[in-house]
Amino acid sequence: MTDTERSSISLPRLLAVMAALRDPVSGCPWDRVQDFASIAPYTVEEAYEVADAIMNKDPSALRDELGDLLFQVVYHARLAEERGWFDFEAVAAGVTAKMIRRHPHVFGDATMRDAGAQTAAWEADKARERAGQAETGVLDGIATTLPPLLRAQKLASRAARVGFDWPDAAAVLDKLDEEIAELRAELPGSDPERIEDELGDLFFVMVNLARKLGCSGDAALRRANAKFERRFRAVEALLAGTGTTPEQAGLDAMEALWRQVKAGEPRSGEQLP
């Protein structure tokens, strides 16, 4: 069976399953009472689980998580269809038309672009769409519900496109030093609100530093989280081998084991054994 033949069976069946779950008489009691707001957190969670499967390089988990994410799209489309707004077909048709419109170098007669030119053209097209929706501010259309780290990067990137930006990464590092000094100055007073304010500024500058270095702040932090977890679990395992818990070991012993674990890891860019 070809992919086209498989999708011609699987997708209608998925839509039928969703309709059955929402049936007001015979549907699932839990599904029948859900709405956009109650389902939205699950949608966000499934997107993160897709990212986790990718980070873990787990094709089987990725397939399953993509299915769960697709089901979230189907769920929201069904809720909209019940209200007479649109259905899944309209969602698919809309994004198909958008992708064709935004890739004239593939689907039209425009000159082939490199990745940088395509990104610029993509953002210009999005700006025209926002203007058509009466969103004229530079920062309009950036969802307030995005995770803070991701939203910070989008806000900074959008402002940078109109010239509100540091000239280079070195200038951002200078600003980072300034923000660290301001945070240090607030520590003696121990005012939680002022410390939180300065810490927020520090985070925002770090996001800009990632952007100027061509990195994703979110991806960098995910990688750091995974590295910390891997190393700390290794420390726990070494302690367990001696019949010792982290609480019993103390900071100095754990720090020594941490350095041992770190020294035994491959350098960045090399493959873990």
Side-chain angles (χ1 to χ4, degrees):
M1 183 181 293
T2 66
D3 290 342
T4 301
E5 290 170 335
R6 186 181 296 110
S7 64
S8 68
I9 297 173
S10 301
L11 188 53
R13 188 177 183 189
L14 177 59
L15 296 174
V17 166
M18 184 72 257
L21 291 173
R22 288 284 297 178
D23 188 281
V25 177
S26 61
C28 171
W30 186 88
D31 286 288
R32 291 204 309 261
V33 300
Q34 302 308 310
D35 58 20
F36 290 108
S38 66
I39 291 298
Y42 297 103
T43 308
V44 174
E45 180 181 340
E46 295 300 348
Y48 274 107
E49 290 181 358
V50 167
D52 192 61
I54 293 171
M55 187 175 68
N56 292 330
K57 299 179 181 178
D58 188 337
S60 179
L62 178 58
R63 178 199 61 210
D64 291 344
E65 298 302 343
L66 286 172
D68 291 342
L69 185 58
L70 174 60
F71 186 73
Q72 292 297 307
V73 176
V74 168
Y75 213 127
H76 286 288
R78 179 65 192 183
L79 292 172
E81 183 178 359
E82 292 170 0
R83 289 158 176 75
W85 296 350
F86 53 82
D87 59 10
F88 182 84
E89 291 296 329
V91 173
V95 72
T96 299
K98 182 190 296 184
M99 291 303 105
I100 292 173
R101 183 177 68 252
R102 290 184 178 175
H103 295 83
H105 54 296
V106 176
F107 302 105
D109 55 6
T111 303
M112 183 63 71
R113 304 164 175 153
D114 60 24
Q118 172 57 20
T119 298
W122 179 282
E123 293 297 340
D125 190 73
K126 288 173 66 175
R128 286 190 292 271
E129 289 178 359
R130 289 194 298 271
Q133 298 167 356
E135 295 179 352
T136 57
V138 172
L139 305 181
D140 284 351
I142 301 176
T144 57
T145 53
L146 286 171
L149 195 61
L150 177 57
R151 190 164 193 267
Q153 189 141 354
K154 285 185 174 291
L155 288 168
S157 296
R158 192 77 67 80
R161 290 206 298 272
V162 296
F164 193 70
D165 195 11
W166 287 274
D168 51 35
V172 186
L173 283 169
D174 291 339
K175 182 63 176 177
L176 187 63
D177 290 339
E178 177 185 325
E179 294 297 345
I180 290 173
E182 291 179 4
L183 178 59
R184 286 185 184 278
E186 293 296 338
L187 294 181
S190 300
D191 183 328
E193 186 172 345
R194 292 184 65 86
I195 288 174
E196 184 179 87
D197 187 62
E198 294 298 342
L199 189 59
D201 291 344
L202 185 60
F203 275 128
F204 195 81
V205 174
M206 286 294 294
V207 168
N208 276 278
L209 179 60
R211 179 178 58 82
K212 296 299 282 188
L213 293 173
C215 301
S216 161
D218 188 74
L221 186 55
R222 281 175 178 271
R223 185 172 183 174
N225 287 343
K227 179 166 57 179
F228 178 85
E229 182 177 8
R230 182 180 69 246
R231 289 177 177 173
F232 191 82
R233 288 185 184 279
V235 168
E236 283 185 311
L238 290 171
L239 288 172
T242 64
T244 307
T245 67
E247 293 84 356
Q248 294 168 333
L251 177 59
D252 290 343
M254 286 192 287
E255 178 65 26
L257 289 174
W258 179 279
R259 290 194 294 269
Q260 177 184 328
V261 170
K262 181 179 178 180
E265 289 184 345
R267 294 182 179 180
S268 180
E270 295 178 353
Q271 294 297 314
L272 286 169

